[in-house]
Each structure stands twice: as structure tokens, then as C-alpha cells.
């Protein structure tokens, strides 16, 4: 029976069957076997030939459930139970749910249903082996819709084996259609409790208790960026990841170049993975949680090749469902690795129901207007800000203490918590990652959540006023007090076309996916210093020559940061490539100009382990910085790490839209030496479309622009340094800071000469300094000169685009 094809059964046969094998159902059968089971059948039928592995199984039908309810005359007493239900009253909800489940469990299954389940289980055992261990999962007929996931509302039972145990688990699943959380969720979504039927899926277990498992999304869960797959994983069975019991590993993969055959892992984050859920062999329960060894915790649970295979499957699944539905359908997918065979499997797939439903022409930004003491940090969920009094609840039995508008602070959540989660202003948890239950429900409810904080329930005090900010990048922060914030909304109507390219300055890779929603033509300035300072934190020479680092505190911090890497330099290369890759992917295929590192010596010295490798300079501003370091024997090897990271981004990730830019290049000869150094690491100008730009920030860059044009492919004016060096002042000096003004005639003459010379030499030239963001008249001046591009801070892109369009129109008349 388990090999029956979807075409082999008539629709009438399927509608009256007690049990159907997964091979006999597809996505059109949600009304028969629920979303979860229909999806499993669909993937087995349509995607197995493309290499997507899904464990086989069978499903009880909606007909079986409705026949059970009808023959037992349960509809009338159940309707009476729900008639006056107020789901806001937690005590009443619990009472109604308990009595409804008791009615189901006290009523035996029809003999025909038990026989059908037993027969289907026997067939499954024949395929995989006797007394097969199975996952028994509930699948409601209203489940996995585009606007309501119903995920986790009913029960799941793992490591169930033997005919009697399988039937008993199916009976418990029937009863779980009336869990408190399921009742509350249906009422919120407007579904009639008795119109929703329950199917049960019985599926071969994947022995991920001996390996790892997790969840992945074919869309970025926080920003809705469509071109990335987010994979999360931890050791053991997947319930810990889904429920947020552990902080999992996270990986980002870029879909467009993955489909072209590249290996674009954009980012990796090591989770703590403290425990794992395994079989309780010889014990009294089917499952138990055990500690994970320190050695396992300090390494990723998946190899890079496995991450890429899962991401490819996510693309196949998303493409198939989008084709079936006739509209873009990002997917929420559960995966598992079998520790006995080493194979990966997909065990569930459902449409993502939050980002895919958002209004795409409205850009809403939350901005914190003041800051206070940061009480605790974790993973940001939601790009939102919420605030209220902290309500610390450690046990589900105390949910009735929660008051509407409070911030829920707890260890973790599961579906039993949903009746109060919908009344919270924000959620803060000790455990969990971006795909845990608390994160998924917070997104669906439109409230911020900070998950995986570690000690939130002891650090935050009951009744304390707090502000929960998820609007400052990947890190979520909980501040003391009720801080002022504002919400900015911009409608992204069709912006006018401009001859002048409007680019964006992007510093933080964590913000790149969100910033990509702002219409622009690419990135005019991505600074490596931000990535090195915030994500790497270590001086590159301290990684190359760790034995020479004398500061013991720095040695300990470097050891901790590089713990997952066999060689310390791999930490620098991978982290830098991930930072560059996130920005490049966010704006792909538009150009992303990446300025090579431009720390001054005092800034380099502040990096971990840096003091022993940096000289002291009287004036670092015009000292050993930029290009002069790259070919210097004292720093050449460190620059080589930057080159290797860039090559990885372009060649391994396939992000050839990256254009490296050399800063503070004093002479054309110095530029040639830098290009030679880059070429020695495989970055050859002109090969694989590689262009190299130079910053135009020194008077020599302007005066000898024709000579620099022979060395480089383009220029980007750095108006800050050009103004300082043209006027001979340090804008950080209070005594002369008032003289700093990009609009000074001397500076404007330098800019004019640079643009005219670059164009005469056939080179592109743009500007990435602050001036056009601050001064509309300076932007107009640049447009009048015919500058090729203006790169702006994100908050001024839309406004300046409109101004530039108006300026260009005036200049044409």
C-alpha cells in the first residue's frame, strides 16, 4: 500500500479512506490529510527524483476523524463547551480544553480505523524493518495556509514503535486538536472548532538523536530578504530547536549563486547547544535530554557541504511550491541528519506566513531616540521596539499572572504559552535561536523578541520598566526604563530615474538585508574597518604571530574567539569574507565597492593583540595607513588575509559584483605596488571581471588623477579627508574644527578638477563622503559637474534621489 501512486486512487476512494500512504497524497489534499501530511506526500512525489530525501509514512484522514466524532456523538457536547468560551480567560480556557480532550480520549477508535492504522504500520515495517520507530504528528486540515501556519498547535510524539503504541499515539493526537493553544489560535484566526479536522501522520524516524537536526527558512526571517536561506541546527532530535530549548548554530546561504554552482555561505554563528534530545534506551520514557560535551559545543553541528545541500533543497522546495501556487512561496522547513547513515532528510515543509504576507511597498523603520543601561542582550527578532513592565514567568501554570501590555520574560516558550503571548508588548527568553517557537510566534504577532539571552529571568526583575529593541541590527538589547522611540514609514512608490547613480554607504553587515529594501543602484562604500572591529576584533598580525602576543588577557580573548578554527588565520579570513559577502549578496547584482582596511596605527593598536605590532606615531592621520601598509614587509602578510577573504567572496561565493577600493594611496607607483601585492594572492585586475578603484582623498589623487587613471578603474571622492588635507586642518581639533567645510571654494575646485580629469581619461568617479548627505546644494554642485554616482547614508537615499531627479530636470531645461 505504501508505494501507491497519487494517480492510482480516485478522488472518491481517497475521500472515504481511513488511512492514506504519503505516496498517494499531494498538496491538493490538505482537506483530506492536513497541510503537514499533504506536503510530505508532495515532496516525495515531486522532489525525490531531484535528490530531496523525505522519510516515508502514512496519514489518517479527515474522513477518519469526522467519522470518529460523528459515530461517538461528540459534536453536540463539544459545541456546548465552546459556546461561551472566552480565550482571554486563561483559567476558563484550560478548563474547556481539558474537558474537550477528555471526551476524545474516553471514546475508543472505531475498529475499522484501528485495523487500517495497524495494516499501514505493518507495511511501513515491511519497508524499513520490524517494530519501526516512528514520529507521530498531528496535521490539521486548516494547517500550513499562506496566512496561518497553525504550527505546533497539536501534539507530536517521537520514538513510537509497536502497533499498540502507534494507535495510542494517534488517539492522543486526535485529542490534541483541543489543546489550549490550538483552541486559542483557532479562535483568533476565526476558524470554527468543529469545522477543522485532524489527520495524523506516522513517519519513519530519522535517527537525528545520533547526529543533529534543525529548521531552515528559504527567506530571511527578520527582513524578508528573498535571496537567502537561513539554516539553524543543533545536536539531537529537532524538538529542542523548534521549542527554543537550545541556542542553535546558524548559517546563511545566498540562493542566486548557489543555483549557479557556487558555495556561498554568507555567515555562520556558533550556538551554545548545551543539551540534546535523544532516545531513552532502556529508560521509562521514549526520550530524554542529555548534556552536550564541551568539545561538541565548540564546533558546528554541520559541515559546510551539508549546509549547502540543505540550502539547495530549500531552493528546490521553494521553487516547486511557488510553481504549484502560482505565486512566490517562501518555505519553513524542518530537517534532520541520520546518525546511522549520515544522510540528510526533510521531515516537514510549510509555507512561511509572516514575511511573505508583509506589504512590500511600505518601509517601516523603528528608531530609538534615547538609550540607557543595557540590561541584557540576545538575538534580535522582528526589527521592532516594544516596552512595558517585565513579567517573569518560569512555569506554564502561572500564565494567569500575565497582564496585557507587559513584557514576557521566561526561559523559553512552546505552543502552550500562546494564549498570553498575543497580549505581550515584547518577549525576552533565556534560550532559543531565530527559528525557535518564541521567535516564530513573535514575528507572527508583530512584536519584538530577544531570544537566547542566557540569564534574562535572573537579570530582569518583575515589575521593572524595560525597553526591548530589535531595531539595532542582529543583537537585540533590553534597556532599563521606558525609552522614547519613533516609527518612520516611507511608501516606496516608483522613484524617478536619475542619470546620476544613487548608491548607499553600508557599514554593518547585519543590517545589509534590511537596507537592501531601499531602492538604490548598489553600495558606494563598505568599510572593512567596521567588520574587523565588530566581528573580528583581533589584529591580523596577532593571529599570524599568536606566539608573539604578550598580553595574557588578549591571548585568552583571542583563543576564545578562534576556538572553532584549527588555524587562527582562518578565523580572520572567514569572518571577513562573511561580512563582505553579506553586503555583496544583499545588493547583488549591483556593484558593491569595498574599501580595503584603512585603520590608523592608534586604531590598529586598539584591536586585540595589536599593541605589540603597531608603532607610535605623532600624527596617525597622515601616517602609516591605507595603501602604504599593504606592500610593507611589516604588514604584507596581514594584507594577504584581506586579499584571501576577497578572493573567497568573488570566486567561492560567486559574488563578482564586489569592487575593492584602495584608500590613502599617495602616488601612482604606490598603487602599482598594491595591485602587484593583490595579484600575488590571486586578485588580478581585469581577470574574472575584477575592477579596482582608488579613493580620491588626497590632493595628489586630484592633481595626478590622469596618472592614477592609468592604474585604477575608477575613483571615489572621500570628501572628509580631501577637505582636511586641502585646508590643512584636523576636524577633530576643537581649535580649527569650525574651518572644516566641504563647500569651501578650494575643496570644490579640487572636486571639479577630479571629476573633469577622470571623465577625460574615461574613468568613472563618484563620491562617498558625507557632504551630499548633509548639504543639498553640494549634491546639486556634484550633479551639475556630471558626477557618475553619489553614495549616501541610508536615511538620506530616498530624499536625495528625489532631489537629484529634480536637479537633473532643471539642468536639462
Amino acid at each position: 500500500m505504501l508505494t501507491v501512486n497519487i494517480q492510482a486512487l480516485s478522488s472518491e476512494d481517497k475521500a472515504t479512506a481511513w488511512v492514506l500512504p504519503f505516496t498517494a497524497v499531494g498538496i491538493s489534499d490538505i482537506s483530506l490529510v492536513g497541510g503537514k501530511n499533504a506536503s510530505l506526500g508532495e515532496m516525495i512525489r515531486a522532489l525525490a527524483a531531484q535528490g530531496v530525501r523525505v522519510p516515508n509514512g502514512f496519514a489518517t484522514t479527515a474522513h477518519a476523524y469526522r467519522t470518529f466524532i460523528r459515530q461517538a456523538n461528540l459534536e453536540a457536547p463539544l459545541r456546548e463547551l465552546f459556546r461561551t468560551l472566552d480565550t482571554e480567560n486563561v483559567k476558563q480556557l484550560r478548563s474547556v480544553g481539558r474537558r474537550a480532550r477528555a471526551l476524545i480520549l474516553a471514546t475508543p477508535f472505531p475498529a475499522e480505523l484501528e485495523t487500517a492504522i495497524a495494516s499501514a504500520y505493518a507495511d511501513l515495517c515491511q519497508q524499513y524493518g520490524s517494530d519501526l520507530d516512528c514520529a507521530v504528528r498531528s496535521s490539521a486540515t486548516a494547517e500550513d495556509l499562506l496566512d496561518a501556519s497553525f504550527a505546533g498547535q497539536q501534539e507530536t510524539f517521537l520514538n513510537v514503535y509497536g502497533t499498540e503504541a502507534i494507535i495510542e499515539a494517534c488517539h492522543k493526537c486526535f485529542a490534541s486538536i483541543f489543546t489550549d493553544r490550538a483552541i486559542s489560535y483557532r479562535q483568533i484566526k476565526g476558524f470554527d472548532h468543529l469545522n477543522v479536522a485532524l489527520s495524523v501522520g506516522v513517519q519513519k524516524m530519522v535517527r537525528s538523536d545520533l547526529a543533529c537536526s534543525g529548521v531552515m527558512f528559504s527567506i530571511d526571517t527578520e527582513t524578508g530578504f528573498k535571496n537567502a536561506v537561513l539554516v539553524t541546527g543543533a545536536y539531537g532530535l529537532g524538538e529542542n530547536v523548534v521549542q527554543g530549548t537550545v541556542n542553535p548554530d546558524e548559517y546563511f546561504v545566498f540562493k542566486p549563486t548557489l543555483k549557479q554552482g557556487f558555495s556561498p555561505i554568507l555567515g555562520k554563528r556558533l550556538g551554545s547547544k548545551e543539551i540534546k534530545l535523544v532516545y531513552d534506551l532502556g529508560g521509562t520514557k521514549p526520550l530524554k535530554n542529555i548534556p552536550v560535551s564541551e568539545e561538541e559545543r565548540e564546533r558546528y553541528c554541520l559541515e559546510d557541504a551539508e549546509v549547502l545541500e540543505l540550502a539547495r533543497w530549500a531552493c528546490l522546495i521553494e521553487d516547486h511550491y511557488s510553481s504549484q501556487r502560482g505565486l512566490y512561496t517562501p518555505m519553513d522547513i524542518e530537517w534532520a541528519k541520520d546518525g546511522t547513515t549520515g544522510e540528510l532528510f526533510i521531515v516537514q515543509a510549510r509555507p512561511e506566513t509572516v514575511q511573505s504576507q508583509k506589504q512590500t511597498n511600505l518601509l517601516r523603520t523603528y528608531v530609538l531616540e534615547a538609550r540607557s543601561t543595557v540590561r541584557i542582550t540576545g538575538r534580535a527578532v522582528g526589527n521592532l521596539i516594544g516596552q512595558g513592565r517585565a513579567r517573569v514567568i518560569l512555569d506554564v501554570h502561572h500564565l494567569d499572572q500575565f497582564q496585557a501590555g507587559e513584557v514576557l520574560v521566561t526561559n523559553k516558550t512552546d505552543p502552550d504559552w500562546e494564549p498570553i503571548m498575543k497580549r505581550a508588548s515584547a518577549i525576552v527568553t533565556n534560550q532559543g535561536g531565530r527559528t525557535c517557537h518564541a521567535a516564530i510566534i513573535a514575528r507572527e504577532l508583530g512584536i519584538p523578541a530577544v531570544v537566547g539571552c542566557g540569564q534574562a529571568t535572573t537579570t530582569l526583575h518583575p515589575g521593572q520598566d524595560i525597553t526591548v529593541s530589535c531595531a539595532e541590527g542582529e543583537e537585540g538589547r533590553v534597556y532599563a526604563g521606558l525609552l522614547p522611540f519613533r516609527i518612520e514609514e516611507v511608501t516606496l512608490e516608483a522613484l524617478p530615474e536619475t542619470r546620476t547613480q544613487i548608491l548607499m554607504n553600508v557599514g554593518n553587515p547585519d543590517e545589509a538585508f534590511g537596507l537592501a529594501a531601499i531602492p538604490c543602484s548598489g553600495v558606494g562604500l563598505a568599510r572593512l574597518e567596521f567588520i574587523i572591529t565588530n566581528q573580528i576584533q583581533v589584529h591580523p598580525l596577532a593571529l599570524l604571530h599568536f606566539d608573539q602576543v604578550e598580553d595574557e588577557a588578549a591571548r585568552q580573548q583571542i583563543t576564545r574567539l578562534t576556538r572553532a578554527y584549527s588555524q587562527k588565520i582562518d578565523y580572520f579570513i572567514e569572518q571577513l569574507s562573511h561580512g563582505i559577502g553579506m553586503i555583496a549578496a544583499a545588493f547583488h547584482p549591483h556593484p558593491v565597492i569595498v574599501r580595503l582596511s584603512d585603520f590608523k596605527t592608534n586604531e590598529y593598536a586598539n584591536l586585540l593583540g595589536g599593541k605589540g605590532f603597531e608603532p607610535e606615531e605623532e600624527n596617525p592621520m597622515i601616517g602609516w595607513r591605507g595603501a602604504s601598509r599593504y606592500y610593507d614587509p611589516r604588514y604584507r602578510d596581514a594584507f594577504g588575509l584581506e586579499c584571501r577573504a576577497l578572493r573567497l567572496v568573488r570566486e567561492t561565493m560567486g559574488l563578482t559584483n564586489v569592487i575593492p577600493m584602495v584608500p590613502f594611496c599617495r602616488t601612482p607607483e604606490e598603487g602599482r605596488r598594491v595591485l602587484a601585492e593583490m595579484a600575488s594572492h590571486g586578485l588580478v585586475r581585469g581577470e574574472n571581471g575584477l575592477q579596482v578603484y582608488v579613493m580620491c582623498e588626497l590632493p595628489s589623487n586630484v592633481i595626478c588623477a590622469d596618472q592614477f587613471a592609468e592604474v585604477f578603474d575608477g575613483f571615489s571622492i572621500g570628501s572628509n579627508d580631501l577637505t582636511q588635507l586641502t585646508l590643512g586642518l584636523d576636524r577633530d581639533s576643537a581649535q580649527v574644527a569650525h574651518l572644516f567645510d566641504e563647500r569651501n571654494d578650494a575643496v570644490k575646485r579640487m572636486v571639479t578638477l577630479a571629476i573633469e580629469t577622470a571623465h577625460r581619461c574615461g574613468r568613472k568617479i563618484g563620491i562617498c563622503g558625507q557632504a551630499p548627505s548633509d548639504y543639498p546644494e553640494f549634491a546639486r554642485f556634484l550633479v551639475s559637474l556630471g558626477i557618475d554616482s553619489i553614495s549616501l547614508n541610508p536615511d538620506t537615499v530616498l530624499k536625495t534621489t528625489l532631489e537629484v531627479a529634480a536637479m537633473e530636470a532643471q539642468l536639462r531645461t
Side-chain angles (χ1 to χ4, degrees):
M1 181 178 180
L2 288 169
T3 57
V4 173
N5 189 273
I6 191 168
Q7 285 83 18
L9 291 174
S10 69
S11 56
E12 184 178 345
D13 288 338
K14 288 163 66 174
T16 57
W18 293 94
V19 168
L20 288 169
F22 287 164
T23 52
V25 297
I27 199 62
S28 60
D29 295 313
I30 290 178
S31 63
L32 300 180
V33 293
K36 188 180 289 110
N37 294 329
S39 182
L40 290 169
E42 180 74 16
M43 289 188 291
I44 291 172
R45 179 181 65 83
L47 297 175
Q50 298 182 61
V52 179
R53 286 186 289 270
V54 179
N56 206 358
F58 63 89
T60 66
T61 63
H63 166 74
Y65 173 81
R66 291 194 171 104
T67 302
F68 166 69
I69 295 293
R70 185 180 66 253
Q71 288 183 357
N73 296 315
L74 292 176
E75 181 169 349
L78 286 169
R79 284 206 181 277
E80 181 58 28
L81 275 176
F82 299 128
R83 187 173 58 82
T84 59
L85 173 63
D86 175 11
T87 56
E88 298 293 322
N89 185 328
V90 175
K91 288 183 178 178
Q92 186 193 23
L93 175 62
R94 283 178 178 163
S95 174
V96 168
R98 183 171 58 250
R99 289 151 66 193
R101 294 190 295 274
L103 281 172
I104 301 293
L105 292 172
T107 306
F109 270 178
E112 298 95 328
L113 178 55
E114 290 196 359
T115 300
I117 293 172
S119 176
Y121 177 63
D123 286 348
L124 200 58
C125 290
Q126 188 175 2
Q127 181 181 356
Y128 289 115
S130 60
D131 272 347
L132 179 70
D133 47 330
C134 292
V136 182
R137 303 179 187 274
S138 308
S139 181
T141 57
E143 188 176 60
D144 296 348
L145 306 176
L146 286 178
D147 59 349
S149 71
F150 283 80
Q153 298 303 315
Q154 290 84 33
E155 297 292 357
T156 290
F157 302 94
L158 304 178
N159 188 21
V160 183
Y161 53 90
T163 303
E164 288 186 10
I166 293 288
I167 293 172
E168 180 184 358
C170 288
H171 201 169
K172 290 179 179 177
C173 283
F174 271 31
S176 74
I177 197 169
F178 297 120
T179 58
D180 301 350
R181 68 222 185 210
I183 294 169
S184 176
Y185 193 86
R186 279 194 299 271
Q187 197 121 327
I188 292 168
K189 293 292 182 180
F191 285 84
D192 186 308
H193 297 291
L194 275 299
N195 281 351
V196 177
L198 198 287
S199 168
V200 180
V202 178
Q203 183 182 35
K204 177 193 178 298
M205 281 286 291
V206 176
R207 290 301 304 271
S208 57
D209 62 308
L210 303 175
C212 56
S213 58
V215 178
M216 61 180 173
F217 283 81
S218 65
I219 190 172
D220 179 40
T221 55
E222 305 313 310
T223 65
F225 181 68
K226 296 179 180 180
N227 283 337
V229 176
L230 168 64
V231 180
T232 67
Y235 297 113
L237 299 173
E239 296 302 294
N240 281 346
V241 176
V242 173
Q243 294 179 6
T245 308
V246 295
N247 299 335
D249 297 336
E250 294 183 2
Y251 316 81
F252 272 112
V253 182
F254 186 54
K255 293 192 290 191
T257 57
L258 177 71
K259 293 178 180 180
Q260 296 170 6
F262 293 95
S263 302
I265 297 178
L266 302 176
K268 293 161 65 173
R269 178 181 177 274
L270 190 68
S272 52
K273 309 183 297 289
E274 298 96 338
I275 57 173
K276 60 181 176 181
L277 188 64
V278 300
Y279 284 14
D280 187 13
L281 299 175
T284 58
K285 296 181 178 180
L287 307 171
K288 64 179 178 181
N289 268 311
I290 62 172
V292 174
S293 70
E294 187 70 23
E295 180 185 357
E296 284 184 303
R297 290 176 58 186
E298 297 297 339
R299 65 171 185 258
Y300 290 99
C301 68
L302 286 170
E303 300 292 333
D304 285 359
E306 294 172 324
V307 173
L308 293 168
E309 181 174 19
L310 287 172
R312 279 189 285 270
W313 287 0
C315 292
L316 288 170
I317 293 168
E318 178 186 84
D319 289 347
H320 176 75
Y321 277 76
S322 297
S323 174
Q324 288 291 102
R325 295 176 183 270
L327 75 163
Y328 172 61
T329 306
M331 299 297 290
D332 170 357
I333 303 162
E334 293 183 27
W335 63 269
K337 179 180 177 180
D338 195 306
T340 57
T341 67
E343 293 178 310
L344 293 166
F345 291 88
I346 300 299
V347 295
Q348 279 193 50
R350 63 179 71 89
E352 190 273 348
T353 58
V354 179
Q355 293 296 344
S356 57
Q357 301 301 304
K358 284 191 174 177
Q359 193 175 346
T360 56
N361 68 339
L362 180 68
L363 184 67
R364 181 180 288 113
T365 306
Y366 282 68
V367 180
L368 201 60
E369 295 181 326
R371 285 170 176 78
S372 63
T373 303
V374 176
R375 301 290 297 150
I376 202 161
T377 63
R379 301 287 283 152
V381 174
N383 291 324
L384 308 166
I385 298 174
Q387 55 188 202
R389 289 184 178 178
R391 174 69 68 175
V392 180
I393 300 181
L394 300 178
D395 191 296
V396 71
H397 296 99
H398 298 147
L399 297 186
D400 55 342
Q401 298 175 1
F402 191 82
Q403 301 297 313
E406 293 180 329
V407 177
L408 174 61
V409 182
T410 188
N411 192 42
K412 67 181 182 71
T413 68
D414 59 39
D416 287 328
W417 293 70
E418 288 175 26
I420 67 163
M421 293 171 76
K422 67 178 186 289
R423 296 154 56 197
S425 60
I427 298 169
V428 182
T429 68
N430 290 340
Q431 301 170 350
R434 289 173 60 179
T435 58
C436 73
H437 176 266
I440 290 171
I441 298 303
R443 288 188 203 101
E444 190 167 321
L445 294 172
I447 59 175
V450 180
V451 300
C453 296
Q455 304 296 326
T457 53
T458 54
T459 303
L460 302 176
H461 306 302
Q464 177 184 16
D465 285 337
I466 55 176
T467 296
V468 179
S469 174
C470 296
E472 300 170 86
E474 189 176 83
E475 183 180 72
R477 298 167 183 163
V478 180
Y479 293 94
L482 303 179
L483 302 179
F485 67 92
R486 68 180 186 276
I487 304 172
E488 298 177 349
E489 291 188 351
V490 177
T491 303
L492 302 178
E493 303 296 347
L495 290 173
E497 294 261 344
T498 59
R499 184 208 61 79
T500 312
Q501 275 194 317
I502 303 299
L503 306 177
M504 190 186 301
N505 298 333
V506 178
N508 185 352
D510 293 342
E511 297 178 348
F513 286 174
L515 294 175
I518 301 172
C520 68
S521 298
V523 173
L525 178 63
R527 301 178 180 90
L528 290 198
E529 300 90 78
F530 187 97
I531 301 170
I532 294 170
T533 300
N534 292 278
Q535 290 186 213
I536 298 173
Q537 304 175 44
V538 185
H539 195 292
L541 289 174
L543 297 169
L544 281 160
H545 306 292
F546 182 67
D547 57 324
Q548 297 178 26
V549 177
E550 297 179 355
D551 185 331
E552 185 56 35
R555 288 179 64 88
Q556 291 180 11
Q557 289 185 68
I558 293 169
T559 299
R560 178 182 58 80
L561 288 169
T562 60
R563 64 192 185 279
Y565 298 84
S566 57
Q567 296 187 66
K568 287 180 168 52
I569 61 171
D570 291 340
Y571 165 75
F572 186 95
I573 295 167
E574 184 174 89
Q575 291 294 318
L576 186 59
S577 68
H578 287 168
I580 298 169
M582 288 289 278
I583 298 172
F587 293 87
H588 183 271
H590 296 301
V592 172
I593 300 172
V594 175
R595 190 178 72 186
L596 301 170
S597 61
D598 191 26
F599 285 120
K600 303 173 187 67
T601 49
N602 58 321
E603 294 167 338
Y604 263 120
N606 288 331
L607 294 172
L608 288 172
K611 286 186 173 57
F613 298 100
E614 293 296 328
E616 290 190 12
E617 295 186 290
E618 289 296 325
N619 193 343
M621 165 69 188
I622 52 175
W624 193 38
R625 59 179 284 200
S628 61
R629 298 180 74 98
Y630 303 157
Y631 56 86
D632 191 305
R634 293 170 295 173
Y635 193 77
R636 176 183 290 145
D637 290 344
F639 179 63
L641 302 184
E642 286 185 40
C643 293
R644 289 169 65 180
L646 276 166
R647 188 176 178 186
L648 194 157
V649 171
R650 288 180 52 86
E651 298 181 9
T652 303
M653 298 182 188
L655 293 165
T656 54
N657 59 321
V658 167
I659 300 172
M661 181 163 64
V662 179
F664 227 79
C665 185
R666 293 174 169 93
T667 68
E669 178 54 33
E670 189 169 54
R672 291 187 180 91
R673 297 183 70 174
V674 171
L675 290 181
E677 199 64 40
M678 293 173 67
S680 73
H681 294 284
L683 289 173
V684 181
R685 179 180 168 228
E687 288 188 5
N688 194 24
L690 177 63
Q691 298 182 68
V692 183
Y693 282 15
V694 65
M695 287 290 294
C696 185
E697 56 190 339
L698 305 166
S700 63
N701 299 144
V702 177
I703 296 166
C704 297
D706 55 337
Q707 296 177 35
F708 280 98
E710 295 175 2
V711 181
F712 296 101
D713 298 288
F715 299 84
S716 183
I717 299 169
S719 58
N720 293 345
D721 278 0
L722 184 60
T723 301
Q724 292 185 84
L725 294 168
T726 298
L727 298 180
L729 58 83
D730 178 359
R731 68 173 180 170
D732 293 330
S733 169
Q735 284 71 31
V736 294
H738 65 281
L739 295 172
F740 181 92
D741 190 344
E742 295 99 326
R743 296 166 296 178
N744 181 280
D745 193 49
V747 179
K748 291 175 72 174
R749 290 190 185 193
M750 295 292 275
V751 170
T752 300
L753 179 59
I755 294 173
E756 289 176 348
T757 307
H759 283 165
R760 188 176 70 249
C761 296
R763 295 296 187 225
K764 288 185 176 180
I765 185 166
I767 189 168
C768 58
Q770 186 69 25
S773 294
D774 290 344
Y775 308 116
E777 66 270 29
F778 196 84
R780 182 183 179 85
F781 162 70
L782 294 169
V783 171
S784 70
L785 292 173
I787 196 165
D788 294 298
S789 64
I790 298 176
S791 193
L792 303 154
N793 294 336
D795 58 345
T796 64
V797 166
L798 297 176
K799 174 173 170 281
T800 307
T801 298
L802 295 172
E803 291 174 348
V804 167
M807 293 170 192
E808 291 179 350
Q810 290 174 10
L811 290 169
R812 287 194 297 267
T813 58

